[in-house]
Amino acid sequence: MKPKVAIPEPHSSKLEYNERSTVHYDASLRAAGLEPVLIPSPAAPEEVARLISNCRGILLPGSPADVAPQKYGAVRISETCSADPLRDNLDELLLQDAHNLYKPIFGICYGMQSLNVWRGGTLIQHLETTPVDHQPASKPLRAHEIRIEAESLLSKLAGSNGAPVNSSHHQAVGVPGDGLKISARSPLDDVIEAVEGTAPEHWVVAVQWHPERTFDSEGLSRKLFEEFAGAVRAWVPRAIMESLAGR
């Protein structure tokens, strides 16, 4: 039986986006040997608890929403998209469970931002004009390069010379949250492109690009999912820790 991984419904009301995006996450997780368990955004906490009880990890996907700026002490600007409170609440439930039990966490795009804010970090609400187009209209599979930090998990997967990534975001991590460290940046403008957990016993990786879209064509994308799958298979239940939410 394939290990199960919880994945929240990307958006609570944009069904077309959900249908279009989840097929990529589903296919990548299955190709890596995992079974995705889609958690509906409107699910009650007790239903969420039931659904994730047999899941060994979580994947936080992208979303057309933006995290509410007040959650990281900022005033909303006009470029910031509407928040999705149901998705935010669901992410918080999944993150609390994963951090309590050290379940592996893989965040992608909005999922990286959600994780960072939950850990007390901040976001850049809108990327102004830089040498890099982080939201190209044509959504090329190779939008720009990333510079990977030495001694990071990403460096073990791709080396420290950098790698090409796709790009589809207008926000980015500002200050990394508690227990997170920067593992990749966009070299021309220093935008943070990936973070990792600092606790060696807890697998936590989040990236700003979309590896699920390039699983079949980019080695780093495939390796990220395979590494996540390895961590999920190796996970064993741990004693419940003190809550980290809201720090």
Side-chain angles (χ1 to χ4, degrees):
M1 182 180 295
K2 292 182 178 181
K4 295 181 178 180
V5 170
I7 174 170
E9 192 174 43
H11 197 281
S12 63
S13 62
K14 298 188 177 182
L15 301 184
E16 187 277 332
Y17 176 89
N18 293 344
E19 293 175 0
R20 173 166 43 88
S21 62
T22 53
V23 293
H24 298 291
Y25 298 110
D26 186 273
S28 297
L29 288 169
R30 292 185 185 279
L34 301 173
E35 180 182 343
V37 176
L38 188 65
I39 313 296
S41 296
E46 56 271 21
E47 176 65 6
V48 174
R50 185 188 68 79
L51 289 170
I52 67 177
S53 61
N54 293 320
C55 293
R56 302 173 63 90
I58 67 170
L59 185 151
L60 300 179
S63 172
D66 284 337
V67 177
Q70 60 265 32
K71 289 194 171 187
Y72 49 94
V75 177
R76 186 181 184 276
I77 62 175
S78 60
E79 292 86 354
T80 297
C81 299
S82 299
D84 183 1
L86 291 177
R87 166 66 194 273
D88 286 349
N89 292 340
L90 182 53
D91 279 14
E92 290 171 5
L93 290 172
L94 297 183
L95 283 166
Q96 186 69 69
D97 175 72
H99 274 281
N100 283 346
L101 300 176
Y102 277 21
K103 292 180 180 179
I105 298 169
F106 187 14
I108 293 176
C109 199
Y110 177 92
M112 171 173 162
Q113 297 163 9
S114 177
L115 166 67
N116 191 62
V117 171
W118 189 80
R119 293 307 306 262
T122 67
L123 300 180
I124 298 171
Q125 285 193 63
H126 185 70
L127 295 170
E128 301 296 341
T129 302
T130 78
V132 176
D133 186 355
H134 291 277
Q135 46 177 341
S138 62
K139 302 296 186 291
L141 297 183
R142 290 187 168 192
H144 62 83
E145 293 281 324
I146 56 170
R147 181 181 69 242
I148 299 173
E149 298 296 326
E151 306 302 321
S152 64
L153 173 62
L154 281 181
S155 71
K156 296 176 182 177
L157 298 180
S160 56
N161 294 327
V165 297
N166 54 20
S167 194
S168 181
H169 62 104
H170 82 110
Q171 296 194 330
V173 166
V175 177
D178 179 49
L180 298 175
K181 63 180 179 181
I182 299 168
S183 57
R185 291 181 182 269
S186 172
L188 295 180
D189 57 12
D190 269 351
V191 168
I192 296 172
E193 292 284 342
V195 295
E196 298 176 7
T198 57
E201 67 274 24
H202 189 192
W203 197 97
V204 179
V205 173
V207 300
Q208 191 58 71
W209 66 94
H210 284 272
E212 80 283 0
R213 298 177 185 171
T214 55
F215 182 92
D216 293 325
S217 60
E218 297 290 351
L220 177 57
S221 297
R222 184 173 61 257
K223 289 177 182 178
L224 277 167
F225 276 94
E226 291 173 347
E227 187 77 11
F228 175 53
V232 169
R233 284 190 289 269
W235 176 81
V236 294
R238 298 174 184 268
I240 294 179
M241 301 174 60
E242 176 188 359
S243 171
L244 295 174
R247 288 189 180 181

